[in-house]
DNA sequence: CTGTTAGCGCGTTCAG
DNA sequence: CTGAACGCGCTAACAG
């Protein structure tokens, strides 16, 4: 080694007057080493400011001590909560987390040649549809530990997955809107193919049915989990269906867009029209009026996914399905403030 | 290899009827290989669904093709913009990005033993004070490529850094507030030790001085880039200094807290009191009223940092300082809508 | 309790 | 244009 390079385990061994095996033992706290030897080795490590080469460690030990997260995007209010849950759990178990955002590019184009493939990782958390079914199958066929987050396994394949009660949350919210006296309730849907979005719409439909209300297709407009898309759709909706009295948006982002569109049309929330969202994202409480929404346990979902994966890595088993409960958060956008509260 | 393991370069070589060296050549597009041989090798790779082991690659080639980002936190509106800029640039140059959030834990506790150390990375972007001066010096002494983002190098050390014109932006905003007729302008400061925050306060002070206004220490309250902290401080400020006519918050988060505090006190924005923020974060335009703020070119800063680092890795040289311009965004929270615009 | 040694999977000379 | 052989830095038997 010289000034421009990094010290290796051999440098440490030499300086401590021991073999590389001993240095490896103290680093990994494996095997039996005298307290005295440990001290000498640690002193040498500190003096040299040595850090093990993780590539070499992974190669030699066939363990990466790392779990990977594949996600479509990272620029999302949703994502920060999710990540907090995952990180926390991962670190508690002394693993490291590697994150890769696909941004819509197929997994196969990016991962295979690069640092976040299955060689650097003891298992993967797959968020929504960042990886396609075929790739999932291949990974699974090799017994590579996988946990799905907000996404179902390919047909016929058993992979543990974690999600929350989208349908029930949407059902409850729709029921709440009905209890508030609303009848013409529109729904701003999410992206096609997104499972969360699908279940939320399903919950809306079922609640309507249970309460004897017909589902009017003209009242379901596309929002794509996106404020701008939702605003456009709601503006149009307000024109063609002027007599609606409530809007339930599939997520808080589209609720935000709906709010802007409603205000633009000269109507007031909640006096003229009620509005509800889904997620209870950071934004929702700062909207004006504060948004009534469904709280999604996003951070808990992250924790559960990480915990399931680590368990899978260690024991070979995990729960096939983890379903986390959602909860109504009644604020002001529906015009019913705490009517049901603690009496 | 067997069913539960992954194929290696030797499996590919055998199947294609060539040596491992040849496989390596086609993977890395190095050396001269017949079109026919290339095709055979690629077919074998596809058939086996082979992916190179990146640990082994890094070990053998002594290049990670990866740059690392060390950041204090990832749960931040600010961060998503920054990341977008970094990712984009990194991928354009065919590098991969590894992200590590320290969450306040010292770098030395986490990185050295784990997958994101200097062995897996050809260079590092250091965001604010996620890494201390001593560690920076050590890395630098080993000629390890480093770019600092929103942070100055340790005294006496030359490291390229990227930031934007915090002081100038704050100066302009303060001048704008003065031009609006305000005189008793309070400042909600940022975290101690945060350089961005320091420069912003400095800009505020200088603008006051240039316009012949005294800096009243009682008008400077702590906000910590945090809405709750800022709200508490501003509530107190409103009591002790009831005659202030404007508040300039060091970032949009603390502006949001200030807004809540002002409203709570029964005053109106902008009629009773003007409010300005800094960053132009996503939130600011959805506040009520929409927040006048300073637009920080966060994504551009991310792009610049990545570009400088890659240049540094390739050429050994980078610009000592990249200073990106900021820009006033006049919305409604100061009560002066576009007075200066295009006349 | 400690040292020796043989790979882990790959890139890279160097021959041919 | 292609193959053989070595070594990257480390862990994991196996000896002693």
């Amino acid at each position: 080694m010289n000034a421009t390079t990094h010290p290796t385990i051999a440098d440490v061994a030499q300086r401590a007057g021991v073999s590389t095996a001993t240095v490896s033992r103290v680093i990994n706290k494996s095997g039996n080493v005298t307290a005295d030897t440990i001290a000498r080795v640690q002193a040498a490590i500190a003096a040299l400011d040595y850090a093990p080469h993780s590539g070499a460690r992974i190669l030699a030990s066939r363990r990466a001590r790392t779990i990977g997260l594949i996600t479509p995007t990272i620029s999302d209010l949703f994502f920060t909560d999710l990540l907090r849950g995952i990180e926390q759990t991962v670190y508690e178990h002394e693993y490291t987390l590697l994150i890769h955002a696909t941004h819509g590019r197929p997994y196969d184009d990016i991962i295979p040649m690069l640092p976040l493939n299955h060689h650097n990782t003891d298992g993967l958390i797959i968020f929504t549809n960042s990886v396609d079914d075929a790739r999932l199958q291949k990974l699974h066929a090799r017994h590579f530990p996988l946990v799905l987050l907000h996404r179902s396994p390919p047909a016929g394949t058993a992979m543990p997955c974690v999600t929350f009660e989208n349908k029930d949350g949407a059902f409850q919210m729709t029921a709440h809107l009905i209890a508030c006296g609303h009848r013409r309730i529109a729904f701003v849907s999410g992206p096609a193919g997104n499972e969360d979005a699908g279940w939320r719409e399903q919950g809306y439909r079922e609640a309507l049915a249970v309460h004897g209300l017909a589902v009017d297709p003209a009242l379901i407009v596309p929002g794509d989990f996106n404020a701008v898309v939702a605003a456009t759709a709601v503006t149009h909706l307000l024109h063609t269906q002027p007599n609606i009295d409530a809007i339930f948006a599939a997520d808080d982002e589209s609720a935000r867009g709906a709010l802007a569109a409603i205000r633009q049309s000269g109507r007031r929330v909640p006096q003229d029209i009620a509005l509800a969202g889904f997620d209870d994202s950071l934004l929702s409480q700062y909207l004006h009026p504060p948004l009534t929404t469904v709280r999604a346990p996003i951070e808990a979902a992250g924790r559960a996914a990480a915990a399931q994966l680590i368990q899978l890595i260690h024991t070979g088993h995990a729960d096939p399905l983890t379903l986390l409960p959602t909860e109504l958060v009644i604020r002001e956008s529906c015009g019913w403030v705490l009517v049901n509260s603690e009496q």
Side-chain angles (χ1 to χ4, degrees), chain A residues 195-252:
Chain A
E195 294 191 12
D196 288 337
W199 288 117
R200 291 174 192 182
E201 180 170 336
Q202 187 61 23
Y204 158 81
R205 287 171 178 271
E206 290 185 12
L208 252 35
V210 163
H211 290 84
L213 263 27
V215 174
D216 180 350
L219 261 42
I220 301 183
V221 298
D224 201 36
F225 284 177
N226 178 297
V228 175
V229 173
T232 308
V234 169
T235 297
H236 184 252
L237 176 71
L238 259 16
H239 267 283
T240 58
Q241 305 285 336
N243 63 336
I244 58 174
D245 44 28
I247 296 180
F248 179 18
D251 81 333
D252 288 351

Side-chain angles (χ1 to χ4, degrees), chain A residues 242-311:
Chain A
N243 63 336
I244 58 174
D245 44 28
I247 296 180
F248 179 18
D251 81 333
D252 288 351
E253 271 298 293
S254 45
R256 180 158 73 72
L259 180 58
I262 295 168
R263 187 170 290 149
Q264 194 97 42
S265 81
R267 273 169 259 214
R268 294 162 306 165
V269 173
Q271 296 90 333
D272 302 324
I273 199 162
L275 179 65
F278 202 116
D279 277 350
D280 192 27
S281 83
L282 184 62
L283 233 47
S284 62
Q285 57 187 298
Y286 300 111
L287 255 25
H288 199 82
L291 187 69
T292 285
T293 187
V294 180
R295 175 168 307 142
I298 302 175
E299 183 174 337
R303 276 200 304 273
Q308 290 292 326
L309 181 56
I310 290 169
Q311 182 188 323

Side-chain angles (χ1 to χ4, degrees), chain A residues 316-338:
Chain A
H317 292 284
D319 301 336
L321 177 64
T322 306
L323 199 56
L324 272 12
T326 50
E327 171 193 3
L328 256 45
V329 179
I330 308 299
R331 286 197 272 254
E332 299 170 27
S333 66
C334 288
W336 181 355
V337 182
L338 298 181

